[in-house]
Amino acid sequence: MIISMKPGASREQIERVCERIREMDFEVRSIQGDERVVIAAVGLGNVTHAIEALRSVEGVENGVPISAPYKLVSRQVKDERTVVAVGQTSIGGGEFAIIAGPCSVETEEQIMACAAAVSAGGGRFLRGGAYKPRTSPYSFQGLEEEGLKLLRKAADEYDLSVVTEVMTLGNVQLVADYADVLQIGARNVQNFPLLKEIGATTSCPVMLKRGQSATIEEFLLSAEYIVTNGNPNVVLCERGIRTFESVTRNTLDINAVPVLNQLTHLPIILDPAHATGKRDLIPPLVRAAVAVGADGAMVEIHPDPERAWSDGAQSMTFDQFAKVMNDIEPYVELWKAGRPELVGLSA
Ligand code: PEP
Ligand code: MN
């Protein structure tokens, strides 16, 4: 539920309301606003009864239930968009975030070359999998901690932030020691113990990928798991869903961006590489990401895609990446100018 206080309500009145909320089996999860304070509470208590009781507490103007099944990630609770700070940069703020790198970290030479290319193109985030969720048990599974070390070294050399996947509960701390953003892959979007652990034990930013068959509501409920367990630094990533279409690896759900911008305050990254599986389709879809109001795009690059140990077909060469970065520049300028309209804040 959301309790809005009267303008100028005193600190004591706000505290009294929070106390009453707790007495009724709810937890106060956010208190926003200075002049006009809005308190968001979640819990297992009886909402109708609680709202009725709270309306009679001094200083309270109104109370409404949060109608969405997800609460803290909903724009009903917080209309202002979340900016997730990552090192010297951020996702969801004034910059269109480009996350680029190989599918998997393979060798020092490979990841160093990728970091140089990301930096030269103006990207701020280096991606690369050290723990790889592969469909086949016979496919390359990642270099594990050695991969994390190489990734960190390459990112530090070029002043980039590391985005890398954590697959298991037992590895959260280890991966967080090397990463700036913890990626949760499509296959783990409903690994609830993992989501809870990442929520409860780290404040490291998280990029949660949409599952191949996750509805938008399920996707947001997964994000809610992380936030309600204590980590508010969540970025969403639309990476394509499985449909009847078989020409592309998945189908990029471009609808998801404006829909999510209506429903949640969390930033959204588009991943056209995993959505299509084809490098030639990446440039127009990165432009689409800018145009549709995403907060950034994630792409895969490789010094020699034909020899990549995973996802070569969707990995761009460095030249292709440089061209994409160059081509999107005017679009990104428009994006910066039209940001409030793009994310539906000026309606
Ligand atoms: C990835 O980004 O490396 C990846 C495995 O993607 P997804 O989880 O979306 O399949
Ligand atoms: Mn990949």
Side-chain angles (χ1 to χ4, degrees):
M1 64 190 156
I2 303 168
I3 305 300
S4 35
M5 302 297 294
K6 288 184 179 149
S10 70
R11 184 188 291 263
E12 290 72 36
Q13 287 174 332
I14 296 166
E15 267 164 27
R16 177 81 195 112
V17 170
C18 294
E19 229 171 79
R20 290 288 292 124
I21 287 174
R22 291 188 195 102
E23 277 167 23
M24 289 184 288
D25 234 357
F26 289 88
E27 278 180 52
V28 173
R29 283 308 173 83
S30 75
I31 304 179
Q32 321 245 354
D34 298 323
E35 179 53 15
R36 210 181 181 84
V37 170
V38 173
I39 303 169
V42 291
L44 300 174
N46 180 326
V47 181
T48 317
H49 166 78
I51 287 176
E52 206 176 296
L54 289 164
R55 277 195 183 129
S56 63
V57 178
E58 228 172 300
V60 170
E61 184 160 85
N62 200 8
V64 287
I66 304 167
S67 51
Y70 41 85
K71 312 288 176 193
L72 304 177
V73 304
S74 142
R75 271 187 73 179
Q76 281 180 277
V77 163
K78 178 172 170 264
D79 201 33
E80 187 194 327
R81 291 182 56 76
T82 291
V83 179
V84 175
V86 184
Q88 302 301 310
T89 181
S90 64
I91 303 178
E95 296 293 320
F96 185 78
I98 291 286
I99 305 170
C103 181
S104 308
V105 181
E106 299 168 3
T107 62
E108 179 161 352
E109 200 186 5
Q110 173 243 22
I111 195 68
M112 279 294 174
C114 287
V118 174
S119 170
R124 304 290 300 273
F125 299 86
L126 178 66
R127 63 146 287 145
Y131 294 90
K132 294 302 302 174
R134 304 304 302 279
T135 302
S136 164
Y138 306 113
S139 301
F140 174 56
Q141 306 283 313
L143 295 181
E144 304 187 341
E145 190 170 359
E146 184 52 25
L148 295 175
K149 287 184 181 158
L150 294 177
L151 200 50
R152 187 72 264 166
K153 185 173 174 194
D156 287 347
E157 179 85 22
Y158 291 92
D159 207 14
L160 302 170
S161 294
V162 165
V163 180
T164 194
E165 179 159 353
V166 54
M167 284 175 57
T168 54
L169 270 177
N171 270 347
V172 172
Q173 289 313 317
L174 176 73
V175 179
D177 284 346
Y178 294 95
D180 299 296
V181 178
L182 296 173
Q183 177 171 320
I184 302 177
R187 293 153 188 85
N188 266 325
V189 71
Q190 287 194 320
N191 181 340
F192 302 118
L194 182 66
L195 302 177
K196 285 190 209 172
E197 177 79 4
I198 288 176
T201 65
T202 174
S203 55
C204 184
V206 178
M207 185 173 75
L208 177 67
K209 298 192 90 176
R210 182 175 179 186
Q212 287 168 319
S213 61
T215 64
I216 285 178
E217 188 170 296
E218 287 163 346
F219 188 24
L220 288 173
L221 282 166
S222 291
E224 183 85 8
Y225 261 96
I226 302 169
V227 178
T228 200
N229 278 284
N231 186 348
N233 306 312
V234 178
V235 175
L236 303 171
C237 177
E238 161 59 43
R239 46 76 75 205
I241 51 175
R242 191 167 277 183
T243 67
F244 55 79
E245 182 52 67
S246 58
V247 169
T248 48
R249 185 174 174 183
N250 291 290
T251 298
L252 182 64
D253 181 9
I254 200 90
N255 295 359
V257 179
V259 169
L260 286 167
N261 273 331
Q262 280 178 356
L263 300 177
T264 180
H265 49 83
L266 298 177
I268 301 140
I269 298 285
L270 219 62
D271 170 357
H274 292 89
T276 61
K278 294 182 176 176
R279 76 175 67 90
D280 293 347
L281 299 177
I282 311 297
L285 293 173
V286 173
R287 288 200 298 276
V290 184
V292 79
D295 297 279
M298 179 160 87
V299 297
E300 291 185 333
I301 60 172
H302 195 281
D304 186 0
E306 281 180 21
R307 291 192 174 74
W309 297 3
S310 58
D311 284 353
Q314 66 195 38
S315 301
M316 290 187 287
T317 62
F318 294 163
D319 285 347
Q320 286 167 328
F321 175 66
K323 186 166 175 353
V324 169
M325 292 303 282
N326 196 50
D327 289 350
I328 62 168
E329 247 174 56
Y331 296 86
V332 170
E333 287 311 310
L334 287 171
W335 177 94
K336 284 181 185 165
R339 186 114 184 88
E341 290 80 11
L342 280 172
V343 297
L345 285 178
S346 63

